């Protein structure tokens, strides 16, 4: 089970941002969503989380149609996300950012033993944020801000986790550690959907990939299949020269 | 039928004027992102200037119009843009709105100062007496001109925005200012154009409507509410829909005036007289309910200049203690008349405090807090008879309920609509509800304001007697101090974090599962309840209150003072209380009735420079360090205690006492600096071993930079030392790094 998106179309005026797109993310797996800039990746995240109502199509969580639910209701069913343009609670400290989310979870799940303070401490430790726990979130550099957003979304104990370019702003070593972290999160039974431009991270972390281009899904499959897919190469490189494209994609791994 | 036609024509004419105003409002809002609350006040200023030129100085109509509409109004718009609005980049929607409210207050006060409202003035129609026959009724030239101007403005604005270069630049700026700059447009130009045009349109509307209203500054200023009701129908962006909305509001208002009369409804008549004035407000609420839901937005700018300080318990307890101690001293030293007049301050302070959770923490605007205080005062007066303190509980409950009802329709929409809805509600209370005559509902006779004045008795608090002014003053201080601690407790707890989170990013709140509508309603109800209790305390202080105590502009003043001092500080509420609730200003400046308002307005205008308020910017950084310096605190406390003893033993009089206390408080930052100087005498920082001077200064300003220095530096940063010969041969000893190649 996990997340299923079926036949989603979004039109902004005359522009079709998403055209009949089907994607999915299974629990326990890291699923990649890639595509050139403007392909519609963030738009589909907004549709999935309910921030953008689609013109048509359906979003299902564990088989249940959530298309009509408000964003906060989807979140309560176990959907969490991070944002490409950071959406931190800037006037709160890093610790408080996580605590707000943990407290919200506990309000809805009265049986939770762990206090919000403990959840915050645990996640600060796990994501190596303890040193900056007292920093106001709007003072953080982008890379760290993304990790705080991840910590905040983990505090909601999601079943489905949508990550919008979580590694941009991080250096190579941080990115490697990050891939490992994503695998661990998925291993806990979370369906992770990852939008990312860093091909190293994507190819080394994802179990399955979906490729979007100009609002259409042009391919899906394992990393190997995608790497050799002619349509993907054309989309990424604007060329049909498969050999050259293959070379570039190979180099990135 | 004949009456219907007459009403329709006058409705269209009124609608035409609303359309002109609303068009200007929408234009500035879409171009600059600033919702100009002072739009009506600008129109008032223009109308009075026109009166001055034409009717007082006898200039010809064409010249007066040319000067006002062609020169002064656009120039004033450009001035507003450069002097005030341009500086609001990176501030929150609240601050931007409040700056225009400040302009409103200043303009209103200025107009009433220049043109004394006691002197009757008259503005007559263009072409007085001239009219044409249309559909069996006579329509004056003035009305025809109004309609024609409205049409020209509507079409002109539409063409301007759609088809001209300047218009496209205006629309581009609002979409993404930074992007527009990158693409080579100068954002100053569209902003300036928008303010010039908007101000001119406000002036046109002000001059056209002046003959229809009793020519006074306040009704012209409040025209803004009728105009933005129209703009809301256009979703604050569509000019054609704004035009349609203006016509609907014009027609509804005129039909209301024509049909909801005492002759038609003899029993209901007296209750309806204010209703037709409130028609635009009712239309506004209907429009808000029908508008499509706004999308949840993230934060507008990546880093706002506004920060909210997390209060400490120590600081808050010290504050509460000082408030109570200060009140005890004041209650025992103020003259009887001053003390009676000053008891009101705690009412205003509590109303100010009610702003903090809502506007300061949650970032939601309410322009109706004083209106809620009015409702609270009614509850306390009627339901707390004989000074029963349960009246306060009723006030809290009823105000919370009404607050939730007012906020409910605007919840689905973005923040600005909540501000507009609450302002409209406050104006409706003002124009209609508070003035209602007594009515019976079932068996109960309800007379909200007792047709003029509410009476209060001091609370009959169990165990203590607070009927004297002195006791009530101290009671008010204790009540306020405890309430301020409650506010601090909210801020430091989970609910406070939720409120701040909601202000920072509504979208992120939703994705962690927070229901932002429920949170907004909760805080809105809470804040309305606090304001209602404040109204009750105010009533107990004053003894009698009338609707004028709760009028809309007074409410704006309370909010404005809070913003000026800092929306998140309980100290701001105290400041608002002192400023509005004590005879301080009238004692200092007895001859300038408008001065208070002007001062408030001018300070509000400066918000763009310091959007966090002066408490966060000036007072806190200077006084807060004192908390950690017991010597300084004890010194100040000892000095104050000595002064108090001297005062009560009548060794010194009131004024030396006040002066001394002020010195003891104001002197704290100076004392801190002196203490620092005594404790740590200034010494030059130690020069590292082997260097001939401070490392930063080596080789500069005539300081020498020797080989020995290089060696010492190498040692300091743990570089392997090089043979002396290499050092000597190094071409640039200034850059030790260059030697690595050698």
């Amino acid at each position: 089970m996990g997340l299923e998106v079926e036949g989603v179309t979004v039109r902004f005026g005359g522009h079709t941002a998403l055209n009949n797109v089907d994607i999915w993310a299974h629990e326990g797996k890291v699923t990649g969503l890639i595509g050139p800039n403007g392909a519609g990746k963030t738009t589909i995240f907004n549709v999935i989380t309910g921030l953008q109502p689609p013109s048509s199509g359906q979003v299902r969580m564990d088989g249940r149609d959530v298309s009509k639910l408000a964003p906060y209701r989807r979140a309560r069913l176990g959907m969490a996300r991070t944002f490409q343009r950071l959406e931190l609670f800037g006037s709160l400290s890093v610790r408080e950012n996580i605590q707000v989310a943990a407290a919200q979870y506990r309000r809805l799940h009265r049986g939770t033993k762990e206090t919000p303070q403990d959840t915050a401490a645990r996640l600060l430790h796990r994501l190596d944020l303890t040193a900056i726990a007292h920093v106001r979130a709007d003072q953080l550099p982008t890379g760290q801000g993304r990790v705080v957003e991840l910590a905040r979304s983990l505090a909601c104990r999601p079943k489905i986790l949508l990550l919008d370019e979580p590694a941009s702003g991080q250096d190579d070593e941080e990115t490697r550690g990050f891939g490992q972290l994503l695998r661990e999160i998925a291993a806990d039974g979370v369906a992770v959907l990852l939008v990312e431009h860093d091909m190293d991270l994507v190819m080394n972390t994802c179990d399955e990939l979906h490729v979007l281009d100009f609002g259409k899904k042009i391919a899906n499959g394992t990393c190997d299949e995608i790497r050799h897919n002619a349509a993907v190469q054309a989309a990424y490189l604007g060329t049909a020269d498969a050999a050259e494209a293959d070379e570039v994609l190979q180099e990135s791994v | 039928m004949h009456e219907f036609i007459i009403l329709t024509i006058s409705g269209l004419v009124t609608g035409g004027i609303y359309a002109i105003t609303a068009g200007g409002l929408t234009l500035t809002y879409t171009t600059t992102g600033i919702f100009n609350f002072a739009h009506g006040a600008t129109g008032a200023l223009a109308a009075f200037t026109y009166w001055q030129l034409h009717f007082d100085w006898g200039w010809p109509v064409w010249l007066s119009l040319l000067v006002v509409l062609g020169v002064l109004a656009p120039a004033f718009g450009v001035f507003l843009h450069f002097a005030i609005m341009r500086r609001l980049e990176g501030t929150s929607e609240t601050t931007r709105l409040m700056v225009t409210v400040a302009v409103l207050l200043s303009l209103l006060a200025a107009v009433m100062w220049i043109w004394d409202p006691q002197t009757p003035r008259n503005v007559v129609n263009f072409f007085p007496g001239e009219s044409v026959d249309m559909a069996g009724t006579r329509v004056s030239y003035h009305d025809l001109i109004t309609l024609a101007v409205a049409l020209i403005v509507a079409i002109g604005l539409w063409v301007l925005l759609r088809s001209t270069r300047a218009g496209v630049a205006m629309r581009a700026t609002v979409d993404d200012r930074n992007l527009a700059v990158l693409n080579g447009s100068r954002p100053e130009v569209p902003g300036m154009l928008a303010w010039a045009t908007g101000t001119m349109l406000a002036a046109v509307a002000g001059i056209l409507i002046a003959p229809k209203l009793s020519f006074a500054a306040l009704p012209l200023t409040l025209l803004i509410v009728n105009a933005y009701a129209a703009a809301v129908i256009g979703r604050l962006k569509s000019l054609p829909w704004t035009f349609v909305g203006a016509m609907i509001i014009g027609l509804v208002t005129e039909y209301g005036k024509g049909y909801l009369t005492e002759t038609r409804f003899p029993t209901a008549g007296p209750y309806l007289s204010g209703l037709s004035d409130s028609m635009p407000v009712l239309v506004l609420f209907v429009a808000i309910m029908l508008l499509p839901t706004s999308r949840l937005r993230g934060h507008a700018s990546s880093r706002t200049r506004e920060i909210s300080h997390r209060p400490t318990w120590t600081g808050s307890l010290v504050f509460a203690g000082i408030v109570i101690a200060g009140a005890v001293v004041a209650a025992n030293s103020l003259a009887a008349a001053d003390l009676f007049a000053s008891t009101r301050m705690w009412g205003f302070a509590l109303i100010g405090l009610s702003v903090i959770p809502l506007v300061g923490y949650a970032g939601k605007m309410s322009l109706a807090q004083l209106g809620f205080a009015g409702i609270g005062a009614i509850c306390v007066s009627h339901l707390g008879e004989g000074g029963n303190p349960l009246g306060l509980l009723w006030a809290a409950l009823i105000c919370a309920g009404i607050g939730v009802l007012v906020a409910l329709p605007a919840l689905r929409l973005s923040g600005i609509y909540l501000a507009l809805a609450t302002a409209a509600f406050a104006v409706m209370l003002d124009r209609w509800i508070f003035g209602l005559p007594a009515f019976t509902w079932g068996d109960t006779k309800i007379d909200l304001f007792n047709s003029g004045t509410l009476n209060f008795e001091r609370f009959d608090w169990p165990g203590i007697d607070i009927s004297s002014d002195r006791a009530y003053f101290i009671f008010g201080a204790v009540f306020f101090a405890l309430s301020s601690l409650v506010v601090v407790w909210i801020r430091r707890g989970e609910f406070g974090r939720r409120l701040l989170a909601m202000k920072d990013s509504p979208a992120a709140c939703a994705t962690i599962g927070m229901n932002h509508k429920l949170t907004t309603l909760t805080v809105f109800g809470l804040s309305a309840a606090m304001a209602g209790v404040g109204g009750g305390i105010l009533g107990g202080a004053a003894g009698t209150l009338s609707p004028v105590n709760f009028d809309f502009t007074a409410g704006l003043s309370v909010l404005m003072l809070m913003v000026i001092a800092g929306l998140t500080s309980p100290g701001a509420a105290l400041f608002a209380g002192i400023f509005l609730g004590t005879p301080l200003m009238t004692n200092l400046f007895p001859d300038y009735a408008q001065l208070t308002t002007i001062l408030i307005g001018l300070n509000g205008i400066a918000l763009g420079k310091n959007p966090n308020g002066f408490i966060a910017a000036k007072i806190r950084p200077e006084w807060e360090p004192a908390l950690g310096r017991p010597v300084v605190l004890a010194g100040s406390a000892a000095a104050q205690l000595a002064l108090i003893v001297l005062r009560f033993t009548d060794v010194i009089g009131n004024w030396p006492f006040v002066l001394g206390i002020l010195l003891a408080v104001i002197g704290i930052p100076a004392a801190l600096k002196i203490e620092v100087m005594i404790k740590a005498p200034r010494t030059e920082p130690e020069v590292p071993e082997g260097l001939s001077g401070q490392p930063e200064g080596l080789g500069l300003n005539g300081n020498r930079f020797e080989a020995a220095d290089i060696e010492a530096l190498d040692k300091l940063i743990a570089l392997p030392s090089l043979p002396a010969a290499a050092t000597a041969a190094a071409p640039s000893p200034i850059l030790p790094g260059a030697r690595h190649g050698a």
Side-chain angles (χ1 to χ4, degrees):
Chain A
M1 298 305 264
L3 173 74
E4 293 159 290
V5 176
E6 196 180 297
V8 161
T9 299
V10 173
R11 290 190 200 88
F12 297 120
H15 171 68
T16 305
L18 289 175
N19 190 354
N20 200 18
V21 174
D22 297 337
I23 60 169
W24 53 86
H26 296 299
E27 62 185 36
K29 305 267 191 232
V30 180
T31 309
L33 177 61
I34 60 172
N37 286 326
K41 302 182 296 286
T42 297
T43 306
I44 207 165
F45 266 29
N46 287 341
V47 170
I48 294 170
T49 47
L51 295 176
Q52 168 70 51
S55 311
S56 63
Q58 210 180 52
V59 178
R60 287 193 296 271
M61 293 174 68
D62 292 338
R64 173 179 174 184
D65 180 9
V66 296
S67 309
K68 296 277 175 287
L69 297 185
Y72 77 91
R73 293 220 172 267
R74 300 184 199 199
R76 287 177 181 190
L77 291 175
M79 185 188 282
R81 78 172 281 185
T82 66
F83 292 84
Q84 185 191 0
R85 288 185 61 183
L86 287 181
E87 292 285 348
L88 289 162
F89 303 136
S91 43
L92 300 179
S93 70
V94 169
R95 183 189 299 277
E96 286 179 314
N97 264 270
I98 304 170
Q99 221 169 308
V100 169
Q104 175 65 38
Y105 180 83
R106 202 161 180 242
R107 280 158 64 91
L108 301 167
H109 302 84
R110 285 292 175 193
T112 317
K113 291 228 171 55
E114 197 177 45
T115 63
Q117 288 86 337
D118 291 345
T119 310
R122 174 170 60 84
L123 288 169
L124 285 170
H125 180 72
R126 183 172 181 196
L127 299 185
D128 204 14
L129 293 168
T130 312
I132 55 165
H134 293 287
V135 179
R136 271 171 60 100
D138 62 1
Q139 310 288 326
L140 296 175
T142 313
Q144 276 182 335
R146 295 193 186 284
V147 182
V148 176
E149 275 207 356
L150 176 63
R152 186 179 67 191
S153 56
L154 287 177
C156 304
R157 306 186 188 201
K159 292 183 201 144
I160 294 167
L161 179 60
L162 310 170
L163 303 173
D164 202 345
E165 298 192 19
S168 69
Q170 297 185 348
D171 63 31
D172 287 351
E173 195 175 331
E174 285 170 336
T175 306
R176 266 192 294 282
F178 195 75
Q180 178 58 34
L181 177 70
L182 292 188
R183 298 233 46 94
E184 286 170 23
I185 293 170
D188 290 344
V190 179
V192 178
L193 185 59
L194 172 71
V195 163
E196 186 50 65
H197 280 301
D198 184 329
M199 281 303 144
D200 279 351
L201 178 64
V202 170
M203 295 293 174
N204 289 328
T205 315
C206 294
D207 302 293
E208 189 176 7
L209 291 180
H210 301 280
V211 189
L212 285 185
D213 189 27
F214 289 113
K216 279 187 152 169
K217 187 163 107 168
I218 56 171
N220 78 278
T222 63
C223 294
D224 261 347
E225 286 164 5
I226 294 299
R227 213 176 276 148
H228 298 106
N229 185 305
V232 177
Q233 292 166 352
Y236 261 85
L237 303 163
T239 165
D241 186 343
E244 189 193 341
D246 194 40
E247 201 173 299
V248 177
L249 280 172
Q250 289 296 338
E251 266 175 24
S252 74
V253 180
Chain B
M1 190 60 201
H2 182 67
E3 189 186 6
F4 180 75
I5 293 174
I6 294 179
L7 289 175
T8 306
I9 290 173
S10 60
L12 290 177
V13 171
T14 311
I17 295 171
Y18 293 166
I20 299 168
T21 322
L25 194 62
T26 307
L27 178 76
T28 37
Y29 184 63
T30 51
T31 311
T32 62
I34 295 171
F35 189 91
N36 184 13
F37 242 84
H39 201 67
T42 321
L45 179 66
F48 273 87
T49 313
Y50 173 71
W51 175 87
Q52 188 66 46
L53 298 183
H54 177 56
F55 292 94
D56 200 33
W57 293 346
W59 294 18
V61 173
W62 66 268
L63 184 61
S64 312
L65 284 180
L66 186 72
V67 169
V68 174
L69 299 181
V71 182
L72 294 178
F76 186 65
V78 171
F79 165 77
L80 282 180
H81 172 70
F82 280 105
I84 305 169
M85 307 302 170
R86 193 168 58 113
R87 297 162 191 235
L88 296 177
E89 193 103 331
T91 58
S92 68
E93 198 160 39
T94 309
T95 306
R96 277 179 279 163
L97 192 69
M98 286 320 292
V99 166
T100 67
V101 168
V103 176
L104 179 157
L105 289 172
S106 313
L107 287 181
L108 184 62
V111 167
M112 285 164 65
W113 201 353
I114 301 172
W115 293 280
D116 184 356
Q118 306 300 326
T119 319
R121 282 182 196 80
N122 221 351
V123 172
V124 293
N125 283 350
F126 295 125
F127 307 104
E130 301 277 349
S131 61
V132 288
D133 202 48
M134 277 174 77
T137 54
R138 311 217 42 95
V139 183
S140 70
Y141 277 19
H142 186 94
D143 287 355
L144 284 180
I145 292 173
T146 306
L147 277 176
V149 171
L151 269 178
I152 293 168
V153 165
I155 296 169
L157 280 181
W158 203 69
V159 171
L160 172 76
L161 286 182
R162 291 279 141 189
S163 321
T164 65
R165 231 184 116 81
V168 172
M170 281 175 169
R171 289 194 292 146
T173 320
V174 73
D175 281 347
D176 193 330
R177 190 183 165 92
N178 293 329
L179 197 62
V181 173
L182 286 177
N183 281 323
S185 97
R186 289 182 300 162
E188 296 303 344
V189 177
M192 195 183 77
L193 269 179
W195 279 103
T197 320
T199 309
M200 198 191 72
L201 291 178
V204 172
I207 292 172
L208 282 173
I209 206 168
K212 298 184 179 295
L213 297 172
S214 55
F215 185 52
L218 193 61
L220 282 168
T221 301
L222 291 185
L223 203 60
I224 178 72
V225 177
N226 303 9
Y228 74 59
V232 161
I233 292 176
R235 298 170 69 184
L236 303 179
K237 58 186 178 192
S238 156
L239 284 169
W241 276 107
T242 300
F243 191 81
V244 172
M247 289 302 162
I248 293 175
I249 289 168
L251 287 171
V252 168
T253 310
E254 293 299 325
Y255 290 147
K257 273 189 196 149
Y259 290 125
L260 300 176
T261 54
E262 211 160 342
T263 36
R264 264 173 221 273
F265 303 96
T267 43
Y271 313 107
L272 298 174
S273 63
L275 178 63
S276 50
D277 281 338
S278 298
M279 280 296 180
V281 177
L282 296 177
V283 174
L284 174 82
F285 272 99
V286 173
I288 284 178
M289 279 189 258
L290 294 180
L291 281 182
T293 308
S294 314
R295 282 186 54 195
L296 274 182
R297 301 301 287 248
H299 44 79
S301 59
S302 55
R303 193 169 289 187
T304 135
R305 289 195 279 144
E306 293 170 36
I307 54 163
S308 99
H309 178 88
R310 185 168 190 245
T312 59
W313 275 123
T314 326
S316 309
L317 286 168
V318 168
F319 172 77
I322 290 175
V323 165
I324 295 172
V328 170
V329 172
N332 288 297
S333 54
L334 281 172
D338 283 344
L339 182 65
F340 170 70
S342 302
T343 45
R344 291 163 173 245
M345 71 174 275
W346 302 113
F348 283 108
L350 282 163
I351 298 165
L353 206 60
S354 79
V355 171
I356 294 177
L358 182 67
V359 191
Y361 299 162
K364 305 283 177 190
M365 280 299 280
S366 163
L367 301 178
Q369 290 311 97
L370 195 62
F372 287 121
I375 297 173
I378 292 172
C379 298
V380 168
S381 174
H382 289 299
L383 301 170
E385 274 169 86
N388 187 347
L390 280 180
L392 286 176
L393 190 65
W394 279 113
L397 290 175
I398 291 173
C399 286
I402 295 176
V404 166
L405 283 181
V406 172
L408 203 52
L411 275 187
R412 298 175 302 115
L413 306 169
S414 61
I416 185 82
Y417 288 97
L418 190 59
L420 299 184
T422 51
F425 174 67
V427 169
M428 186 169 80
L429 290 178
D430 219 9
R431 283 186 190 166
W432 183 32
I433 307 285
F434 285 168
L436 276 181
F439 57 95
T440 41
W441 192 21
D443 296 333
T444 336
K445 180 167 180 284
I446 299 177
D447 189 358
L448 293 179
F449 253 97
N450 289 336
S451 314
T453 350
L454 283 178
N455 294 305
F456 300 87
E457 284 173 47
R458 297 270 156 90
F459 298 105
D460 186 11
W461 214 265
I464 44 168
D465 176 19
I466 50 171
S467 55
S468 73
D469 287 344
R470 181 179 298 181
Y472 195 83
F473 189 86
I474 297 170
F475 160 77
V478 172
F479 202 100
F480 170 75
L482 293 179
S483 307
S484 78
L485 291 178
V486 171
V487 168
V488 168
W489 174 72
I490 290 174
R491 165 65 183 89
R492 292 180 56 90
E494 193 202 319
F495 188 56
R497 279 196 290 273
R498 291 162 71 82
L499 295 181
L500 286 161
M502 197 165 66
K503 174 159 103 176
D504 288 339
S505 174
C509 278
T511 60
I512 62 168
M514 192 190 294
N515 181 348
H516 81 283
K517 291 180 194 168
L518 195 64
T519 314
T520 307
L521 276 187
T522 314
V523 69
F524 205 91
L526 170 79
S527 138
M530 287 173 67
V533 170
I537 299 284
L538 181 67
T544 55
L545 288 174
S546 61
V548 76
N549 293 104
F550 300 104
D551 83 1
F552 178 57
T553 46
L556 292 184
S557 292
V558 177
L559 191 57
M560 203 67 241
L561 286 166
M562 290 300 297
V563 179
I564 293 169
L567 273 171
T568 55
S569 330
L574 182 67
F575 167 72
I578 292 173
F579 208 91
L580 292 175
T582 66
L584 178 79
M585 292 304 290
T586 40
N587 277 351
L588 288 176
F589 308 99
D591 295 333
Y592 300 102
Q594 303 298 340
L595 192 72
T596 312
T597 322
I598 290 208
L599 273 182
I600 296 173
L602 291 182
N603 278 295
I605 289 171
L607 273 177
K609 193 171 156 225
N610 173 26
N612 292 310
F614 69 74
I615 291 186
K618 300 258 188 286
I619 294 184
R620 195 170 279 140
E622 296 213 349
W623 267 270
E624 198 163 49
L627 288 180
R629 307 275 183 73
V631 179
V632 173
L633 271 191
S636 172
Q640 293 180 44
L641 204 65
L643 284 163
I644 292 169
V645 170
L646 289 175
R647 172 68 197 94
F648 285 124
T649 49
D650 274 331
V651 177
I652 54 174
N654 266 332
W655 286 111
F657 168 68
V658 169
L659 194 69
I661 291 282
L662 276 179
L663 279 179
V665 174
I666 294 172
I668 289 181
L672 284 174
K673 282 182 198 127
I674 294 169
E675 198 207 6
V676 169
M677 270 154 60
I678 295 170
K679 272 193 176 160
R682 277 178 74 90
T683 51
E684 288 293 317
E686 216 170 293
V687 176
E689 198 187 329
L691 286 185
S692 58
Q694 290 297 332
E696 300 88 339
L698 288 177
L700 297 174
N701 295 337
N703 291 338
R704 314 239 334 147
F705 192 42
E706 310 283 354
D709 287 326
I710 295 173
E711 204 161 325
L713 275 176
D714 279 356
K715 213 169 171 184
L716 274 172
I717 58 176
L719 281 179
S721 101
L722 289 172
T727 315
S732 167
I734 302 294
L735 298 170
R739 290 182 299 119
H740 289 297

